[in-house]
Amino acid sequence: MRDISMEGSQKIKKGYKFKFLDQAWVIEEIFDNGLILIYLENNLRTRKIVTLSYFTDEILKESKDIKAANPSLAKYKKIEIKKQFHKLYAKMASSKIPDPVGAAAYILNISRSTGYSWLKELKSGSHLIVEYRIDAYKPKLNKETERLTQEAVDALHASTAGTSKSAMYRTLSKRLATEGLPPVSYTTFCRRTVNRPLVERLSAAQGSQARERYRPTKTGDVGSEPLDLVEVDHWMIDLIVVSERDRSPVGVAYLTLLLDTATRVVLGYYLSLDPPNQFAVGRALLSAFTPKTSLLHHLGIEGEWPCWGVPKRLRPDNAKEFKSQLLQDLALKYRIVLTHARPYHPRDKAKIEAFFGTLSGFMKELPGSTKVTPVGPSSRAGEASAYAGEIRRAALELSGTSRWMKSAPC
């Protein structure tokens, strides 16, 4: 908010009265972006937003209003872009630049058609005035009707029996009729149900699980360039591995992987039948630090994997192998900053967790997957039977699993 200095007069502040269109107007607010909110002195519901240049230059002239209900910050930004377009167009037209409208539109990142429509407004003498509705986004129902409607919406979201909107609306209508209140349209009721955030709608029925799954999250810490921030984690692969000698099941494999957050590229990995340990972390780091040409040749894969190097920052979790003396010594030798994720906060390593989730989806399609869906009644016997069937179908050995991951479409 600021004051306006006019030639030959005092500073114009909030509450300044003036005559405009044969009526008395009062300044309600003066914004820093050059917009002024005014209202009729004898009718507080009639408000207008005018630009500073229009207020100071043509305050006593007749004007053509451009009506736009519910102005928001986007509307104000549009007005500012219009002003910039008018100035750019005038400057380019005076400099005899070819296609001044297209050039000005390109600079402001708007379409040519929008530029020509704004030029038409400029030539017709229209001014950047916005009609302001004081009752915008305010409930039109009386307080008691609004309270009962909100209670019905709360009951609908909290219901675990699958109550439909139409059934809850009929209950609300009967209650309003009993109380002698005016009815609410079905469209209004549906609009009330969807206007709430998804987390708020589902948290009553699903509890903390809904809040954890659907709550908005920030973008998180992402590297500004390749090798700036690398996430590392373990994952037990949802796949039964067979022996290369007699094709008998030998268990599940564990994957230790490093993922670059800026490019989403896998820098290195280590695949083993042993649970996560210091050795797996060291081999995964070695894979990330060195080229992969010999590895691809050993696996019989044609192609390139031009991704290797020493990261500036490494983000592991708080497992004991990530707090070992081996990793501390490597970080000190190669000047790697270790930034451990917070305990019980998987979103601190969101990129690698999402990668593991995508990889798990592809693993379900392979024979021997441990994420089986039993056919028939859901019971322990059915799950055990389906799991035993997947063991018999297991076909990939450890090297075959490694080759498949190289060619997986993720």
Side-chain angles (χ1 to χ4, degrees), residues 344-363:
Y344 308 106
H345 285 76
R347 283 185 173 85
D348 287 355
K349 299 190 283 71
K351 307 301 179 296
I352 195 168
E353 296 289 351
F355 179 84
F356 285 154
T358 304
L359 197 60
S360 176
F362 289 109
M363 284 290 183

Side-chain angles (χ1 to χ4, degrees), residues 219-236:
T219 305
D221 193 6
V222 180
S224 59
E225 58 183 0
L227 298 176
D228 181 35
L229 176 61
V230 175
E231 296 176 351
V232 56
D233 203 357
H234 304 293
W235 179 53
M236 186 183 73

Side-chain angles (χ1 to χ4, degrees), residues 123-410:
K123 292 183 177 180
S124 64
S126 299
H127 299 286
L128 304 177
I129 301 178
V130 181
E131 194 72 24
Y132 182 78
R133 282 183 53 184
I134 193 174
D135 60 341
Y137 298 108
K138 292 185 178 180
K140 308 300 188 298
L141 307 177
N142 59 58
K143 293 183 178 180
E144 187 64 21
T145 305
E146 184 68 31
R147 183 183 67 81
L148 296 178
T149 303
Q150 293 299 334
E151 289 181 0
V153 173
D154 293 337
L156 177 64
H157 294 328
S159 175
T160 58
T163 305
S164 63
K165 289 183 182 179
S166 56
M168 188 59 67
Y169 173 72
R170 288 193 295 269
T171 303
L172 173 64
S173 300
K174 292 178 182 179
R175 189 174 180 184
L176 291 174
T178 304
E179 298 289 339
L181 297 172
V184 176
S185 67
Y186 184 67
T187 303
T188 301
F189 178 74
C190 291
R191 191 180 298 116
R192 292 289 197 279
T193 61
V194 300
N195 280 346
R196 295 190 178 184
L198 182 62
V199 177
E200 186 178 342
R201 280 184 274 162
L202 298 180
S203 59
Q206 300 182 14
S208 59
Q209 183 179 1
R211 291 191 294 271
E212 179 67 21
R213 182 175 182 181
Y214 297 105
R215 67 181 175 88
T217 58
K218 298 181 180 180
T219 305
D221 193 6
V222 180
S224 59
E225 58 183 0
L227 298 176
D228 181 35
L229 176 61
V230 175
E231 296 176 351
V232 56
D233 203 357
H234 304 293
W235 179 53
M236 186 183 73
I237 299 179
D238 308 317
L239 191 69
I240 301 170
V241 181
V242 299
S243 172
E244 298 181 4
R245 181 176 302 176
D246 55 4
R247 312 297 295 177
S248 60
V250 294
V252 294
Y254 294 88
L255 175 67
T256 303
L257 187 135
L258 287 88
L259 184 76
D260 183 73
T261 58
T263 60
R264 308 296 198 276
V265 168
V266 176
L267 288 178
Y269 81 100
Y270 180 69
L271 187 65
S272 172
L273 294 174
D274 298 324
N277 50 57
Q278 298 183 45
F279 181 76
V281 175
R283 290 296 300 270
L285 289 171
L286 177 63
S287 174
F289 293 173
T290 57
K292 317 295 189 300
T293 306
S294 59
L295 175 62
L296 296 177
H297 179 73
H298 174 71
L299 295 175
I301 299 175
E302 296 182 0
E304 296 182 356
W305 190 356
C307 305
W308 70 86
V310 178
K312 297 179 181 178
R313 292 182 293 161
L314 188 66
R315 173 160 293 173
D317 56 22
N318 291 272
K320 60 181 181 180
E321 60 270 15
F322 291 127
K323 291 189 174 181
S324 63
Q325 190 62 41
L326 171 65
L327 188 59
Q328 298 289 339
D329 293 342
L330 284 174
L332 183 62
K333 180 178 181 180
Y334 294 102
R335 300 182 180 180
I336 302 173
V337 179
L338 295 178
T339 56
H340 292 273
R342 295 172 296 173
Y344 308 106
H345 285 76
R347 283 185 173 85
D348 287 355
K349 299 190 283 71
K351 307 301 179 296
I352 195 168
E353 296 289 351
F355 179 84
F356 285 154
T358 304
L359 197 60
S360 176
F362 289 109
M363 284 290 183
K364 294 178 183 179
E365 304 173 0
L366 297 179
S369 173
T370 58
K371 290 196 172 183
V372 294
T373 303
V375 180
S378 178
S379 61
R380 290 185 179 273
E383 293 177 3
S385 176
Y387 189 78
E390 288 298 325
I391 292 179
R392 290 191 294 270
R393 292 180 60 239
L396 286 179
E397 65 277 359
L398 193 63
S399 60
T401 305
S402 182
R403 282 193 298 269
W404 179 88
M405 285 195 305
K406 297 289 193 313
S407 58
C410 59

Side-chain angles (χ1 to χ4, degrees), residues 25-62:
W25 293 79
V26 183
I27 294 180
E28 184 173 353
E29 290 288 346
I30 302 176
F31 302 99
D32 292 335
N33 57 2
L35 299 178
I36 304 175
L37 176 63
I38 61 176
Y39 66 90
L40 272 177
E41 186 178 17
N42 58 355
N43 186 1
L44 298 179
R45 295 178 62 88
T46 303
R47 283 171 161 79
K48 292 179 181 293
I49 291 181
V50 299
T51 60
L52 175 61
S53 58
Y54 179 76
F55 181 83
T56 54
D57 297 339
E58 305 186 31
I59 195 63
L60 299 180
K61 296 182 180 180
E62 295 292 332

